[in-house]
Amino acid sequence: MFLASGRKEPRDGGVIIAVAEDRARIEAIAAGDPFVRAGVCAYRVTEFVATKTAPTLAPYRETRLGAMRLTCRARAGARPCSCSNGR
């Protein structure tokens, strides 16, 4: 499940905070992204344990989460690609 997502500034990719039963599930979700399959973007998954959260995210404290960093492979000077738009 995605908890939060958004584009990076400068607009060369995005970040997704996700929770799943294990890292393999998050990697499978990333691999299924149409932009990844088209070779336009790539994800880097970083696991972390949330020790502090907003009250509404309390159920995920001390849970292993994944931060998925989306990186665009758009050519230099091109306008930002749509894969970083609102993800």
Side-chain angles (χ1 to χ4, degrees):
M1 166 179 25
F2 290 179
L3 300 177
S5 66
R7 67 179 184 252
K8 291 174 30 189
E9 292 295 339
R11 201 167 160 191
D12 62 352
V15 174
I16 299 170
I17 306 297
V19 63
E21 55 273 10
D22 56 30
R23 181 188 180 111
R25 178 67 185 129
I26 291 175
E27 289 175 344
I29 292 168
D33 184 302
F35 291 109
V36 171
R37 291 195 315 255
V40 176
C41 297
Y43 286 99
R44 184 180 77 208
V45 177
T46 303
E47 291 182 79
F48 70 98
V49 176
T51 55
K52 296 180 182 179
T53 66
T56 56
L57 296 176
Y60 303 108
R61 285 185 197 144
E62 299 301 324
T63 299
R64 190 169 249 169
L65 303 174
M68 299 167 48
R69 180 171 178 248
L70 175 67
T71 305
C72 297
R73 293 183 179 149
R75 67 183 188 279
R79 72 178 184 85
C81 73
S82 60
C83 67
S84 63
N85 185 13
R87 289 178 75 96

